[in-house]
Amino acid sequence: MEERLRAAFPDADFILSNDSAKHHGHVGDDGSGESHFSLNIEWAGFAGQNRVARQRTVNKALGDLPGQRVHALAIKATAPGE
């Protein structure tokens, strides 16, 4: 995911956290240790976009990962200064 995020948002600041251990045994935990993530991303391109548009932009950049290899992704997307 980090590679795809860097490619799509080269000048963004982001923190991608693997939260899978907190969800061990829950629905969507496939035992891989890579099923649940949270993303905090700040990117100038998000300026003027609403929350849904920002999340769609991130999901588009990640392609098939959400819903396939990644069960859950919590996204907090902001523009600089927000």
Side-chain angles (χ1 to χ4, degrees):
M1 278 196 292
E2 288 183 359
E3 290 176 14
R4 291 185 186 192
L5 291 168
R6 282 191 201 98
F9 311 104
D11 56 344
D13 291 320
F14 68 86
I15 298 171
L16 180 64
S17 302
N18 184 341
D19 303 326
S20 301
K22 297 176 188 175
H23 300 277
H24 181 71
H26 295 181
V27 173
D29 175 27
D30 63 1
S32 69
E34 294 189 345
S35 60
H36 294 74
F37 292 85
S38 58
L39 171 67
N40 289 314
I41 182 167
E42 182 181 280
W43 181 55
F46 290 140
Q49 292 184 354
N50 66 28
R51 181 182 54 86
V52 174
R54 293 172 182 192
Q55 290 186 352
R56 286 181 179 152
T57 301
V58 170
N59 283 326
K60 184 177 178 182
L62 294 175
D64 63 346
L65 293 177
Q68 296 292 323
R69 291 181 32 209
V70 176
H71 173 72
L73 175 63
I75 301 169
K76 180 179 179 188
T78 59
E82 293 183 340

